[in-house]
Amino acid sequence: AACRRVRSQFLLRASRSGGGPDVSFRPYLVAAVRNVFYDRMRCNRELPSDDIERVLAQSGIRLEPGRLEITYARRCWLRGHFVPHLVVQTREGAVTLLVLTEERVARRTAFTEGGYRGTLVPAGRGSIAVLARDDADIDEVADTSLAAVTFVR
């Protein structure tokens, strides 16, 4: 439900501003994080690995078990594709991780948007986006994710 609301709001704003598929996805990432926060962030129970594997497999992704404490796993619509959307618990708080299977970046890029800190990291045939509102170590999560994620198709 959160992903649908975000997608609708993002597309409405993009169409009103004359945007379309080329509109920056950073505002979308932040909107998705905010909506998941309100919908699910209070859940701090780690998901069963089967649930996580099912979400990732739909996008041709594998994750080495036990590397990340994942408490939320769904697929969200982003720029014409469904992407895995995970919430990872760290010592400092929750971090959102999106595996962007169709978004390539040339190098690690840090950004701030709407009160969130984020980093985009090249990975496999796509990239990984990690966002946090608090002092969570997004670079540590990004590095762990790079080591744990495999693009299988």
Side-chain angles (χ1 to χ4, degrees):
C3 291
R4 284 191 297 274
R5 279 197 309 274
V6 170
R7 181 178 69 227
S8 298
Q9 292 169 359
F10 179 75
L11 292 174
L12 181 61
R13 271 191 239 138
S15 64
R16 283 184 180 161
S17 66
D22 296 328
V23 171
S24 171
F25 61 88
R26 289 179 188 171
Y28 176 91
L29 295 175
V30 170
V33 170
R34 273 196 193 113
N35 280 300
V36 167
F37 175 81
Y38 292 121
D39 283 356
R40 304 288 256 149
M41 291 294 271
R42 300 201 189 283
C43 173
N44 59 5
R45 183 175 47 98
E46 190 167 1
L47 291 178
S49 59
D50 289 350
D51 292 352
I52 298 165
E53 288 173 17
R54 192 173 313 107
V55 168
L56 296 173
Q58 292 172 340
S59 296
I61 305 293
R62 276 199 210 119
L63 181 70
E64 184 180 326
R67 297 289 299 263
L68 299 166
E69 184 182 337
I70 299 170
T71 57
Y72 176 89
R74 298 285 188 277
R75 290 183 348 129
C76 287
W77 186 254
L78 176 63
R79 293 171 53 118
H81 304 279
F82 281 102
V83 300
H85 182 163
L86 311 174
V87 173
V88 177
Q89 298 299 319
T90 71
R91 289 181 304 279
E92 296 84 14
V95 172
T96 294
L97 184 150
L98 294 108
V99 182
L100 307 171
T101 56
E102 304 296 328
E103 296 287 340
R104 291 192 173 118
V105 295
R107 63 188 168 287
R108 185 181 292 241
T109 305
F111 65 91
T112 57
E113 181 80 39
Y116 287 83
R117 297 174 304 106
T119 188
L120 289 166
V121 183
R125 61 177 166 78
S127 58
I128 294 174
V130 181
L131 296 96
R133 188 171 199 78
D134 52 28
D135 292 332
D137 190 344
I138 57 177
D139 289 319
E140 180 181 332
V141 172
D143 292 341
T144 302
S145 301
L146 282 172
V149 167
T150 303
F151 288 75
V152 293
R153 60 176 160 133

